[in-house]
């Protein structure tokens, strides 16, 4: 069955050469006595010409075949195909296997529903566009291994069945058969293990690590996903970030041939939130948020503005006419999702400002609003008032959706930056509890340690995210390496000394035995592959993903456990007891 070469290795250089090819019939065109097939292999597609078509009445799509023949110049070249100038004139075709009619078309353009694609994923994966995503994914890994080894990192695996490691999401639990009533947790990340590897003296660790988080799914999230997980000792923040930038640069070079300019920009969390309303700003377009409370509405008669912590707005150019009642209603609905009563929309049309809220705006305020944004006829202002942690993300989301809708983002353009100086803690909007912004091992900035006992919510941290085109492509922190500080942080997060001892005793203990200053980060491998592959669906770059209801339509996971399995694990189901 030996193939002499891959389909797309052939070109006009090989004319008249005898070749043996292997692959799938991707398309067939029968022109009477002549039959053309597109033969698809791992590398791509080549046209095969079969002169005595009647000999192959059965050659159908997705049959697996071996083709022997000679390379020839094509009469009508196809400039869209890599092998478009040539074809192979078949001497012999051997059918290695047949195929049923497939439930979806196997070509780059497919109208199959996503659940059909996932149910027949092995067919979906045959599509050349899908295979390209996996080439990119693979290249990211190859580059990671080579760059990190060049820089003295060592790859070490850490357990999948572990004790819980808090990263903010819910955990997947695995019941123990041997210890009834006890559970392993699947790692949300190898966080504590990698820190313990620093205590263990490895200094530079990495792992292409599988991680598990039981969260509501979105287009860029999966319950099991892969991180390039990294930890280093003895580097300060900038030394570490520069080392990581080198990796990103090589990854961009080796996957899509794009030159990333180093060093990357660094933007504080505060600036990102206030200018873009997001800690993962897409900075490829403007539409920035402006403060309006003092700047425009200092003397407002509008009570909601007077009372609000912040009044902020954006100005969208040229959409006044398109901003119907319906559009305004949907903007207000968006505001409600972010916990605000609504927002104010003002239009600038025919030299006049209009909108239901305009009666509250004085002439002086009108002109200062126009001046603030340098606005023109046809523009609209979207203004929100309330607490900053609701107003900013709301306007950030609206900004992003206008950016996309108005085509302000150049396709295939890349913008990379670090967002730094995150707060140590934030308040959970629903419970109002203090939670760690990143995770509880994050080190407060030295200059903020003075607030540890008095007002810890004031503390900023050595935490950083790498943001690419508005995606958080990775993030990490320098770590606490002092046992007392670590305990205090756990206490602030609501854990008593007893609970700390019970849950993290081993970890806090280890900090007493000569722990080096250390820090690290994790890149989302799936997210990187998604960004570099040019798709906004994370499932495209994962071979066998779950759908948005966390189900795999192919294997039907998760499935029910049998009575016997449950018994063995010492479990009974509440629903079934009823
Ligand atoms: N464990 C962190 C995460 O998964 C990354 C890190 O801090 O290294 O986000």
């Amino acid at each position: 069955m030996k193939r002499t070469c891959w389909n797309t290795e052939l070109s006009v250089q090989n004319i008249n050469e005898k070749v043996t090819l292997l692959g799938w019939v991707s398309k067939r065109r029968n022109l009477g006595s002549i039959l053309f097939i597109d033969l698809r292999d791992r590398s791509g597609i080549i046209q095969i010409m079969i002169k005595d078509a009647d000999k192959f009445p059965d050659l159908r799509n997705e049959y697996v075949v071996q083709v022997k023949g000679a390379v020839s110049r094509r009469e009508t070249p196809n400039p869209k195909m890599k092998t478009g100038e040539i074809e192979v004139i078949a001497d012999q075709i051997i059918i290695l296997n047949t195929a049923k009619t497939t439930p979806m078309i196997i070509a780059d353009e497919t109208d199959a529903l996503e659940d059909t694609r996932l149910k027949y994923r092995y067919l979906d994966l045959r599509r050349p566009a899908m295979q390209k995503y996996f080439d990119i994914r693979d290249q990211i890994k190859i580059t990671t291994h080579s760059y990190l080894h060049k820089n003295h990192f060592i790859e070490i695996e850490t357990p999948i069945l572990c004790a819980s490691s808090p990263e903010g999401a819910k955990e997947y639990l695995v019941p123990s058969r041997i210890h009834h009533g006890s559970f392993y947790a699947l790692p949300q990340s190898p966080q504590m293990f990698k820190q313990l590897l620093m205590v263990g003296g490895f200094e530079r660790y990495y792992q292409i690590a599988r991680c598990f988080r039981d969260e509501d799914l979105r287009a860029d999230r999966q319950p099991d996903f892969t991180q390039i997980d990294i930890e280093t000792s003895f580097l300060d923040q900038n030394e570490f970030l520069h080392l990581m930038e080198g990796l990103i640069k090589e990854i961009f070079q080796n996957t899509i041939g794009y030159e990333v300019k180093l060093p990357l920009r660094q933007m504080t969390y505060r600036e990102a939130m206030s200018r873009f309303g997001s800690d993962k700003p897409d900075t490829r377009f403007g539409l920035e948020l402006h403060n309006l409370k003092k700047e425009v509405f200092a003397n407002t008669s509008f009570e909601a503005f007077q009372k609000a912590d912040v009044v902020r707005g954006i100005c969208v150019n040229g959409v006044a006419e398109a901003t119907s009642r319906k559009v305004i209603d949907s903007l207000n609905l968006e505001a409600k999702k972010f916990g605000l009563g609504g927002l104010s929309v003002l239009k600038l049309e025919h030299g006049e400002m209009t909108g239901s809220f305009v009666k509250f705006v004085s002439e002086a305020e009108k002109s200062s609003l126009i001046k603030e944004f340098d606005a023109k006829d046809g523009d609209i202002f979207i203004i929100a008032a309330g607490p900053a942690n609701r107003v900013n993300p709301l306007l950030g989301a609206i900004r992003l959706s206008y950016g996309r809708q108005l085509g302000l983002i150049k396709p295939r353009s890349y913008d990379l930056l670090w967002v730094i100086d995150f707060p140590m803690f934030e308040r959970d909007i629903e419970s109002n509890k203090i939670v760690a912004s990143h995770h509880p091992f994050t080190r407060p900035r030295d200059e903020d340690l003075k607030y540890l006992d008095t007002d810890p919510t004031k503390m900023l941290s050595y935490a950083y995210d790498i943001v690419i085109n508005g995606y958080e492509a990775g993030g990490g922190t320098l770590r606490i390496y002092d046992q007392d500080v670590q305990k205090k942080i756990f206490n602030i997060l609501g854990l008593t000394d007893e609970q700390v001892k019970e849950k993290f005793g081993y970890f806090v203990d280890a900090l007493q035995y000569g722990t080096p200053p250390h820090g690290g980060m994790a890149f989302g491998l799936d997210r990187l592959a998604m960004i570099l592959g040019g798709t906004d669906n994370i499932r495209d770059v994962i071979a066998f993903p779950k759908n948005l209801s966390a189900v795999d339509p192919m294997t039907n996971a998760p499935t029910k456990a049998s009575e016997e399995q449950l018994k063995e694990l010492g479990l009974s189901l509440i629903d079934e007891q009823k």
Side-chain angles (χ1 to χ4, degrees):
M1 239 188 277
K2 211 164 162 46
R3 63 157 41 104
T4 50
C5 59
W6 300 87
N7 290 347
T8 59
E9 280 172 349
L10 294 173
S11 70
V12 282
Q13 312 284 333
N14 306 91
I15 283 178
N16 292 333
E17 260 174 46
K18 291 272 184 201
V19 295
T20 303
L21 305 176
L22 291 165
W24 287 261
V25 176
S26 125
K27 217 196 263 167
R28 48 171 288 156
R29 282 179 308 283
N30 204 337
L31 305 181
S33 60
I34 299 182
L35 174 67
F36 287 102
I37 63 171
D38 278 357
L39 182 75
R40 181 194 333 107
D41 73 5
R42 166 84 176 78
S43 72
I45 288 175
I46 191 165
Q47 175 164 293
I48 312 288
M49 184 197 196
I50 304 167
K51 284 192 172 145
D52 35 3
D54 31 334
K55 272 206 211 148
F56 299 98
D58 281 344
L59 210 52
R60 299 183 40 204
N61 279 3
E62 301 312 316
Y63 274 29
V64 188
V65 293
Q66 182 193 51
V67 177
K68 287 182 190 265
V71 180
S72 162
R73 190 181 287 276
R74 234 161 114 160
E75 262 177 36
T76 39
N78 178 351
K80 285 197 199 131
M81 280 170 76
K82 191 162 175 220
T83 56
E85 285 185 277
I86 52 163
E87 62 193 355
V88 170
I89 316 270
D91 297 330
Q92 196 189 10
I93 301 222
I94 298 173
I95 296 178
L96 300 173
N97 210 347
T98 59
K100 271 174 58 175
T101 303
T102 52
M104 57 179 282
I105 298 169
I106 301 183
D108 282 353
E109 294 293 320
T110 176
D111 56 1
L113 293 177
E114 193 172 36
D115 260 20
T116 311
R117 291 178 49 201
L118 295 182
K119 184 162 161 76
Y120 298 97
R121 189 58 156 182
Y122 44 88
L123 296 179
D124 190 39
L125 290 172
R126 269 189 211 162
R127 296 163 53 223
M130 289 299 284
Q131 301 217 340
K132 266 191 217 114
Y133 293 137
F134 289 89
D135 283 335
I136 286 182
R137 191 182 169 103
D138 183 49
Q139 188 53 247
I140 296 173
K141 289 202 272 183
I142 296 173
T143 305
T144 301
H145 288 299
S146 104
Y147 178 88
L148 291 178
H149 277 125
K150 209 160 58 190
N151 284 285
H152 312 290
F153 284 80
I154 170 171
E155 186 175 26
I156 302 176
E157 293 94 348
T158 51
I160 294 291
L161 295 176
C162 17
S164 88
S165 141
E167 297 263 352
K170 287 203 176 71
E171 300 178 312
Y172 283 99
L173 293 178
V174 181
S176 161
R177 181 180 56 80
I178 301 172
H179 306 281
H180 281 184
S182 292
F183 295 81
Y184 300 99
L186 301 185
Q188 299 193 31
S189 90
Q191 186 61 38
M192 285 188 283
F193 289 113
K194 67 173 170 176
Q195 291 193 236
L196 292 173
L197 288 171
M198 296 304 104
V199 186
F202 283 100
E203 297 199 26
R204 289 186 180 199
Y205 140 98
Y206 83 101
Q207 177 181 196
I208 310 262
R210 308 305 311 276
C211 306
F212 309 86
R213 293 183 194 178
D214 192 358
E215 292 178 297
D216 290 338
L217 304 187
R218 292 192 307 228
D220 63 348
R221 265 194 198 156
Q222 277 282 298
D224 42 350
F225 59 99
T226 310
Q227 289 190 340
I228 304 171
D229 194 48
I230 292 174
E231 196 71 13
T232 61
S233 296
F234 304 120
L235 298 181
D236 67 25
Q237 180 165 305
N238 274 330
E239 286 167 335
F240 178 71
L241 297 189
H242 293 326
L243 189 58
M244 294 299 103
E245 289 171 5
L247 171 60
I248 281 293
K249 185 180 170 75
E250 279 196 15
I251 288 177
F252 267 76
Q253 240 162 16
N254 295 352
T255 49
I256 57 166
Y258 181 89
E259 279 305 315
V260 175
K261 290 205 183 56
L262 298 186
L264 296 186
R265 237 163 2 121
Q266 298 189 0
M267 186 184 286
T268 63
Y269 168 85
R270 202 191 158 94
E271 181 180 347
M273 289 309 288
S274 87
R275 288 177 55 196
F276 301 98
S278 169
D279 57 1
K280 40 181 191 302
D282 191 332
T283 52
R284 290 173 298 170
F285 65 99
L287 278 188
E288 290 188 21
L289 281 57
H290 287 219
N291 280 325
L292 304 176
K293 191 165 163 96
K294 281 202 214 95
E295 293 68 5
V296 177
F297 296 108
N299 304 313
T300 181
S301 55
F302 190 46
E303 212 184 310
F305 279 16
Q306 287 168 357
K307 280 196 194 142
D309 294 346
V310 298
V311 179
R312 316 203 66 210
I314 58 171
C315 171
V316 190
N317 304 126
V319 297
E321 217 186 304
T323 309
S324 57
R325 188 68 249 166
K326 210 167 133 204
V327 172
I328 297 176
D329 286 348
S330 75
L331 287 169
N332 273 308
L333 209 67
E334 189 73 10
K336 297 214 165 77
K337 277 195 223 149
F338 283 82
L340 292 173
L343 42 67
S344 316
V345 179
L346 292 169
K347 297 190 199 182
L348 208 52
E349 270 178 316
H350 316 297
E352 266 209 62
M353 205 175 273
T354 58
S356 55
F357 160 76
V358 80
K359 52 183 176 285
F360 300 107
V361 187
S362 71
E363 288 309 313
E365 285 166 347
K366 283 183 195 166
S367 38
S368 81
L369 192 59
I370 293 172
K371 201 162 144 231
E372 173 71 27
F373 287 102
D374 195 16
K376 293 179 197 56
D377 234 31
D379 294 353
I380 65 164
F381 306 97
I382 301 174
I383 303 169
N389 63 358
R390 293 179 191 222
V391 169
N392 286 340
L394 165 67
L395 291 175
I398 294 175
R399 166 185 179 269
L400 198 59
S401 98
Y402 272 110
R404 291 193 181 133
Q405 197 180 312
L406 300 176
L408 304 180
I409 305 169
K410 226 170 73 211
R412 294 267 157 189
S413 58
Y414 298 95
D415 183 53
L416 297 92
L417 67 144
W418 293 107
V419 175
I420 59 165
D421 290 353
F422 281 79
M424 270 296 279
F425 303 106
E426 52 194 55
R427 275 197 194 275
D428 185 64
I429 289 202
E430 272 151 36
S431 63
N432 205 33
K433 272 198 196 140
I434 291 191
V435 293
S437 299
H438 199 82
H439 53 52
F441 314 105
T442 303
R443 194 164 121 212
R445 293 193 315 176
D446 292 338
E447 59 267 46
D448 296 336
L449 271 174
K450 55 179 183 282
Y451 303 120
L452 187 59
D453 295 314
T454 52
D455 189 357
T457 54
K458 268 202 186 143
M459 293 195 294
L460 300 184
S461 63
Y462 295 112
Y464 31 78
D465 279 353
I466 186 161
V467 177
I468 308 180
N469 292 1
Y471 287 106
E472 182 197 324
T477 69
L478 300 188
R479 324 295 185 193
I480 298 164
Y481 55 97
D482 173 306
Q483 191 200 21
D484 294 332
V485 178
Q486 184 65 75
K487 272 196 195 148
K488 274 192 186 155
I489 299 291
F490 280 133
N491 293 154
I492 293 167
L493 292 170
L495 294 177
T496 61
D497 283 346
E498 280 310 295
Q499 287 167 324
V500 172
K501 204 161 163 210
E502 184 195 314
K503 285 190 157 182
F504 306 112
Y506 67 98
F507 182 77
V508 181
D509 270 358
L511 298 181
Q512 304 170 96
Y513 295 101
T515 298
H518 61 289
M521 71 179 292
F523 293 95
L525 176 64
D526 314 292
R527 289 222 182 128
L528 280 176
M530 183 177 109
I531 296 165
L532 293 164
T535 167
D536 47 22
N537 180 352
I538 204 160
R539 295 179 293 281
D540 281 343
V541 299
I542 296 177
F544 299 104
K546 317 275 185 295
N547 66 14
L548 282 176
S549 337
V551 166
D552 172 4
M554 184 179 73
T555 62
N556 290 325
T559 52
K560 298 247 183 298
S562 69
E563 273 299 312
E564 211 181 331
Q565 283 172 315
L566 290 174
K567 203 167 150 213
E568 208 172 18
L569 295 169
L571 298 177
S572 73
L573 299 178
I574 295 176
D575 283 352
E576 274 155 36
Q577 277 174 355
K578 277 187 205 149

